[in-house]
Amino acid sequence: MDWIGWIKGCLQPTLVSILVNGSPTTKFNTQKGLRQDNPLAPFLFLMVVESLIGLIRQAMVANKFYGVKVGKDLMVSMLQFEDDTLMFGDVTLENMLCVKSALRCFELVSRLKVKFQ
């Protein structure tokens, strides 16, 4: 079985039953998506977030987003660990609008909900 087959297998709806006061309910279909505590969830999330990294990289090449300079030659714009993403940049209106538009594009493409507040 290849990677695509494994990922599809994780995303297929399944029949589940839950316990209510110690008694199982009738089985019902789950919606698409990963089930809680699936070990592939962080990996798949990082694959999806790669598109957000690409958007920020493009903005930096187009001089629309400016990260934080670390040392002599290193520019840092994002750090990620599992499902946490930190963005670093100059405190400017242009940077803020660039990040917001990148997050909005990411939200539309990935169907993940971004909390802007």
Side-chain angles (χ1 to χ4, degrees):
M1 186 179 248
D2 60 350
W3 274 101
I4 295 173
W6 289 345
I7 292 170
K8 282 183 179 179
C10 290
L11 299 175
Q12 293 298 319
T14 58
L15 283 174
V16 296
S17 175
I18 58 174
L19 295 176
V20 177
N21 296 328
S23 300
T25 63
T26 57
K27 291 184 178 183
F28 58 93
N29 283 322
T30 60
Q31 298 293 319
K32 288 183 181 178
L34 292 176
R35 289 169 284 293
Q36 191 173 2
D37 296 329
N38 187 308
L40 282 179
F43 174 71
L44 293 176
F45 181 77
L46 288 176
M47 287 176 57
V48 171
V49 172
E50 185 64 32
S51 63
L52 177 61
I53 294 169
L55 289 170
I56 295 298
R57 230 181 254 136
Q58 284 180 336
M60 289 179 74
V61 169
N63 293 322
K64 299 290 183 184
F65 181 80
Y66 300 94
V68 175
K69 194 170 184 179
V70 178
K72 191 175 184 180
D73 298 321
L74 181 63
M75 184 73 71
V76 176
S77 60
M78 291 177 89
L79 291 177
Q80 289 187 279
F81 180 74
E82 290 189 4
D83 62 349
D84 293 324
T85 302
L86 299 172
M87 291 190 183
F88 301 94
D90 290 345
V91 183
T92 64
L93 181 61
E94 186 178 42
N95 260 6
M96 183 198 65
L97 292 174
C98 181
V99 168
K100 187 167 183 178
S101 65
L103 287 171
R104 183 67 179 131
C105 288
F106 174 74
E107 182 180 51
L108 292 170
V109 170
S110 69
R111 296 168 136 182
L112 294 172
K113 182 70 179 146
V114 176
K115 295 180 184 176
F116 285 104
Q117 66 275 16

